[in-house]
Structures are given as structure tokens and as C-alpha cells.
Amino acid sequence: SKQLMMALLVLENFIGGKFVPCSSYIDSYNPSTGDIYCRVPDSGKEEVEAAVKAAKDAFPIWSSKSPLERSQILNKLADLIEHDLEAFAQAESKDQGKTITFARTVDIPRAVYNFRFFASSILHHVTECTEMATMGCVHYTSRAPVGVAGLISPWNLPLYLLTWKIAPAIACGNTVVAKPSEMTSVTAWMMCRLLEKAGLPHGVVNVVFGTGAKAGEALVCHPDVPLISFTGSTLTATRITEKSAPHCKRLSLELGGKNPAIIFDDADLNQCIPTTLRSSFANQGEICLCTSRIFVQRGIYSEFLKKFVAEARKWKTGNPSDPTVDVGALISKEHLEKVRNYVKRARAEGARILCGEGVDSLSLPPGNQKGYFMLPTVIAEVKDESCCMQEEIFGPVTCVVAFDTEDEVIKRANGVKYGLAATVWSSNVGRVHRVAHRLHSGLVWTNCWLVRDLNLPFGGMKASGIGREGAKDSYEFFTEVKTITIKH
Ligand code: NAD
């Protein structure tokens, strides 16, 4: 076992520009083999304290740099990550279980783009000014960075979502203590190795690795961290809200979803079916924006279902590092069990499982027999009240049900506690606008999915979150505004 330990990748915290070992570690698994392959620092109060101190010390220098100076460093960092894109993609795929294709084409390119995007957008913000001639006054607003930002991210899109927070936070002149998910820490650690080369002063970005309960909570409770940006589950968000309340912290919460796709009988199925397959099963269904309730208008219901199931069966599940594979491994054994249980419960309630789990057999290469795999699964004839139609499953499982009228489907689509993203399929422009306006959802995609312009707000309604992120929204979140009045 000593030999095994030596072969393991051992991560270290990154504090004040230096890698520092931790006194205890957590095991991290390779989801596609079930083997422990990495040890992640099990940080707590002490490590968080050191990281917050480093971030506080770095704040005066970093916050006084011009937006252009910060922008140049962000661009340099983007170039460095892009230069190592393949290594980052391999690491993300191994650590998370996602397919190498997804990591290469989505995760890492987006992490690069996050830095480039905020490097550019920080140069283009203007503040407000009003004149009150009768009083002889002008009013204007000025914006300043807040201080040390606490950034907490989930395991599904590890570097993608972490950099979506780090980039705007530091572009605005804040310094950062970040805590990635304990299950997917490797790419954040790899990024730390590039920060100095990019010209980032020591202490501007600090990363503490560890669990939510220990490291995450220490960050949330730290009195010198006035702002927390969190992406993760709704349950964790309520805990963070509670714990941060005594300090009146500013919170941005990007949470779960139970996203509907509404497919009217005039939809172009040639576009709708492949896109709805992607929106259901991309990244093993482990994206907060994934579709998991598909409402199909009665007239095309059977045709849709037949074609959709036939296409779902073509999605190849297996070794994530095989570029021909579409569905990789789920994040953990526990999560796989949880997702499977939803399918079991649906079956017990009398729903029909049309393909995937329990219906088709999964054959895996010899090296992946102990991995956390599951076939894309389609459930039909499931009641709206069923847990499969109400709770976030976060796996390759989607429910398909029929509807008759526009009013009915809007009511049903809105009938969950979440409100993150919805898709609407129709060739009737009037209907598309009408439906989009009535959906309780922070994002509505019509005749497409996951097309994002980072300039515009991203975030959820209801239990899907508080606050929005995007060019202007992130700028507002990561800065403190002041209104100044001058009388002449
Ligand atoms: P999670 O809430 O379990 O964990 C998210 C992060 O919070 C992790 O880093 C974790 O260590 C940390 N954490 C856990 N408990 C904490 C505590 N008490 N105090 C501080 N930090 C704590 O979520 P997850 O399972 O990693 O991610 C999946 C969830 O994230 C899903 O619900 C998904 O919908 C959601 N998500 C939302 C978005 C979005 O933008 N809306 C994007 C991706 C994922």
C-alpha cells in the first residue's frame, strides 16, 4: 500500500503564491475505474485563516491596479490555460468522469473564455451620472472592489464554474479565496501553477481544498470575507445563508434546477430531438441546465417518444477517455445509487422505463467494470407529483409526458420549486414569446439549448437561486457602489 500511496497524485493548498501541504487529506476517486487516485487536502479553519490573511494582504496592491493592468494578466492566464488545454481536459475527464470530448470542447475552452471575456468586459463598464440643475448638483456613482471574495464551486463543471467566479472577482479588483468541490480539485490545482507566470501578484488568488462542512463553512463564517459566490445545491445554499447571516454577507447563489422542455406540435423535430437528447444527457445529465421534464403535445407524442428513445439508445456509454463515447461515469458511487433509486421509484409508481437503467444491458471495457456508469434512461407515463418530476435527479434520466394546451403546459412546467432554465420548441413566433414570458425561469431557450451570451444575466428564480451573473451582473455583484453628490 505504500507503493500505491506513492503513485497517488497529492494536491496542496495554494496560499499567498505558495503551495503548502496540509496535515490531513481526503481520498479522491477516479469515477470511471472506482480507484483512489488522488489525495486532496482536508483543510479547515486554520488553512482558511491563512488564505484569507494572504488575500487581505494582497488586496491593497491588486485593487489599486488599473482595469487595463488586470485585464492583461487575465488574458495571459487565458493563454496559459489554452496552451495546456489537452492536459487540463485529460485531468478534468479523469477526475470528474466526464467524456474527454466534453472536457475538450466545453469545459476547458469555456474556462479559457471566462478569463478572456472578463478581461475584455472590465474595460467597458461605465458608471452613472445625473444632473439636478435646479439644485446645482450632479450625482454620480463610483464602484470599488469589495475585498476578499469567498468562491465555492461544485463538481459537475469544475474549472468552468470556478473560473466563472474567479475571473470577474479579480477583474473587478477583489482578491479571492476559492474552495472547489472536494470531489474535483485537480484542475483548480493545475491552474494555480500558472498564476505566477501570468503575472498575478501573490495572494490575489488562494485556493483551499477540502470538504464543504469543514473548509467551505470556515470560509462562509470568516468575518473578513464579505462576499460569497456559491454554485451548488439548494440544500447547501440554505445552510450557507444561515451561517453567513450574522455577518450580513453579500451572497450570489446559483442552485439546482428541474428544467422543462415544452415541445409543441409545430416544432421542427429534426432539430428538437438531437438537441433535447443533448439537453437531457450531456455530461451524464450532470448540468444544472439539463432538461429532465419533457412535455410533448399530444398530437406528436408517440412519434416523438419513438424517435427519442431510438436515438437515446445510440448514445454510447463507457470509458470517458475514448473519444467515441458520449456518456461517461457519474461522479461517485453514492450519486449513482441515488440516481438509480429515482428510476426504481418511478417503476414502483407504475411509470414506464423505455430504455436504459434496468431495460438495456450495459457492457463496459474490463478496466471500467467498477466505474460508476449508467445508461441514458427515458421514463414515460410518470405523474407530475412523482419525485422524478419534482426533484433534481442530476443524472442521465429524463421524463417524457404528454400535454394538450398551452395554458395547461405552462401551469405544469411552473409546478415545481425550481426555476432555472426552460426550453420551448415551436415555429410559431407569437407562441414562443407568450410562453417564454409566462415561464418562471431565469433562462428560456427557444428552438435551442445552452447557447449563452456571457453579457446577459445568468441565474435562477425560486429555489434555483438568488442573484444573477454575467458581464454587468457580475460587475455589480463583485463591486460596492457609492453615490456621490456634488453641489457647485
Ligand atoms: P453541493 O451543494 O453539495 O456542493 C457545492 C460546493 O459547496 C462544494 O464545493 C461543497 O464542498 C461545498 N459545500 C457543501 N456544504 C457546504 C457548507 N455547509 N458550507 C460551505 N460550503 C459547502 O453541490 P454539488 O453536489 O457539488 O453540485 C451539484 C449541485 O450544483 C446541483 O444541485 C446542481 O444543480 C448545482 N449547480 C448549479 C449551477 C447553477 O449555475 N445554477 C451550476 C452547476 C451546478
Side-chain angles (χ1 to χ4, degrees):
S1 89
K2 195 164 179 201
Q3 235 174 358
L4 186 75
M5 299 274 285
M6 295 202 19
L8 295 178
L9 177 63
V10 181
L11 309 188
E12 290 177 324
N13 287 326
F14 188 72
I15 298 174
K18 291 192 183 65
F19 284 102
V20 281
C22 193
S23 53
S24 62
Y25 289 84
I26 313 159
D27 292 331
S28 183
Y29 292 80
N30 175 338
S32 70
T33 62
D35 297 329
I36 296 168
Y37 88 105
C38 171
R39 308 193 76 216
V40 175
D42 184 15
S43 310
K45 274 199 179 125
E46 206 180 300
E47 291 77 12
V48 168
E49 184 63 50
V52 172
K53 184 174 181 307
K56 263 180 90 173
D57 291 348
F59 184 72
I61 293 180
W62 184 245
S63 59
S64 63
K65 287 204 186 295
S66 71
L68 183 60
E69 284 173 292
R70 295 197 291 259
S71 168
Q72 283 162 342
I73 293 172
L74 262 70
N75 273 322
K76 186 84 199 288
L77 184 54
D79 292 344
L80 290 168
I81 298 172
E82 192 169 48
H83 180 265
D84 291 349
L85 194 143
E86 183 56 23
F88 273 99
Q90 295 280 352
E92 203 73 295
S93 168
K94 185 170 182 180
D95 204 19
Q96 207 274 341
K98 67 178 68 231
T99 66
I100 185 64
T101 307
F102 200 82
R104 271 181 195 145
T105 57
V106 180
D107 288 80
I108 310 304
R110 173 61 187 272
V112 171
Y113 188 62
N114 284 337
F115 284 110
R116 288 213 177 112
F117 177 81
F118 285 105
S120 165
S121 87
I122 194 63
L123 303 176
H124 305 289
H125 295 294
V126 287
T127 52
E128 293 160 284
C129 180
T130 60
E131 193 179 7
M132 209 178 247
T134 53
M135 299 291 289
C137 287
V138 282
H139 308 277
Y140 70 94
T141 56
S142 104
R143 285 197 173 262
V146 184
V148 179
L151 311 178
I152 302 177
S153 55
W155 48 256
N156 61 329
L157 300 164
L159 194 64
Y160 171 139
L161 288 173
L162 186 66
T163 54
W164 174 239
K165 298 182 185 306
I166 292 179
I170 65 174
C172 292
N174 301 281
T175 56
V176 157
V177 177
K179 199 219 65 79
S181 167
E182 63 275 27
M183 285 185 274
T184 52
S185 297
V186 174
T187 49
W189 172 79
M190 287 170 69
M191 184 193 67
C192 293
R193 300 194 295 193
L194 304 176
L195 298 179
E196 190 170 355
K197 219 170 162 188
L200 201 71
H202 289 177
V204 175
V205 172
N206 305 276
V207 182
V208 286
F209 297 101
T211 64
K214 249 174 93 180
E217 221 156 291
L219 188 56
V220 166
C221 296
H222 200 294
D224 296 336
V225 180
L227 168 158
I228 300 285
S229 173
F230 169 80
T231 300
S233 66
T234 303
L235 189 67
T236 305
T238 59
R239 173 112 187 140
I240 289 177
T241 304
E242 236 176 82
K243 288 282 164 181
S244 63
H247 304 283
C248 289
K249 295 198 182 197
R250 186 186 293 201
L251 299 180
S252 171
L253 305 172
E254 297 287 350
L255 315 176
K258 187 69 190 169
N259 311 307
I262 302 176
I263 303 170
F264 287 98
D265 56 13
D266 60 355
D268 174 0
L269 288 189
N270 291 330
Q271 279 193 53
C272 170
I273 288 179
T275 303
T276 308
L277 284 158
R278 275 198 305 120
S279 76
S280 298
F281 304 128
N283 205 46
Q284 299 72 243
E286 296 168 329
I287 305 179
C288 55
L289 305 166
C290 273
T291 302
S292 64
R293 295 181 292 145
I294 305 175
F295 295 93
V296 186
Q297 206 158 19
R298 186 112 26 216
I300 55 165
Y301 180 73
S302 6
E303 181 197 354
F304 175 89
L305 207 55
K306 204 169 134 225
K307 289 186 177 161
F308 188 77
V309 168
E311 291 300 314
R313 282 208 163 102
K314 292 185 190 159
W315 279 51
K316 184 172 162 191
T317 302
N319 189 348
S321 63
D322 173 349
T324 68
V325 158
D326 307 296
V327 184
L330 274 67
I331 185 68
S332 67
K333 206 172 178 165
E334 294 71 30
H335 188 58
L336 175 65
E337 230 15 73
K338 183 183 149 192
V339 176
R340 279 195 174 138
N341 271 327
Y342 276 107
V343 183
K344 266 190 211 140
R345 285 167 69 181
R347 186 178 282 115
E349 287 169 4
R352 281 201 303 142
I353 319 298
L354 298 178
C355 66
E357 177 71 13
V359 177
D360 300 308
S361 62
L362 170 62
S363 72
L364 292 164
N368 299 105
Q369 300 289 330
K370 292 201 189 114
Y372 318 133
F373 294 92
M374 176 176 174
L375 290 168
T377 300
V378 180
I379 306 178
E381 275 137 57
V382 54
K383 293 197 175 64
D384 285 6
E385 313 77 69
S386 160
C387 61
C388 289
M389 287 286 280
Q390 291 289 327
E391 295 169 22
E392 183 181 50
I393 300 176
F394 222 55
V397 178
T398 197
C399 300
V400 187
V401 294
F403 76 92
D404 294 295
T405 69
E406 193 177 304
D407 277 342
E408 170 210 337
V409 77
I410 290 167
K411 194 156 172 258
R412 291 171 70 192
N414 287 338
V416 293
K417 70 172 182 170
Y418 294 106
L420 187 55
T423 49
V424 180
W425 291 88
S426 169
S427 50
N428 177 333
V429 178
R431 172 146 68 195
V432 158
H433 282 293
R434 238 173 14 241
V435 174
H437 281 279
R438 292 177 66 192
L439 287 171
H440 302 155
S441 181
L443 302 141
V444 180
W445 278 296
T446 59
N447 302 326
C448 64
W449 177 71
L450 208 64
V451 182
R452 272 279 294 145
D453 178 344
L454 303 191
N455 283 296
L456 300 189
F458 177 95
M461 295 185 181
K462 302 198 282 185
S464 291
I466 293 179
R468 296 290 185 274
E469 295 176 347
K472 186 160 173 279
D473 300 85
S474 298
Y475 178 62
E476 286 173 358
F477 178 74
F478 285 111
T479 55
E480 192 81 82
V481 70
K482 191 182 285 173
T483 302
I484 300 169
T485 304
I486 307 213
K487 187 168 160 53
H488 56 75

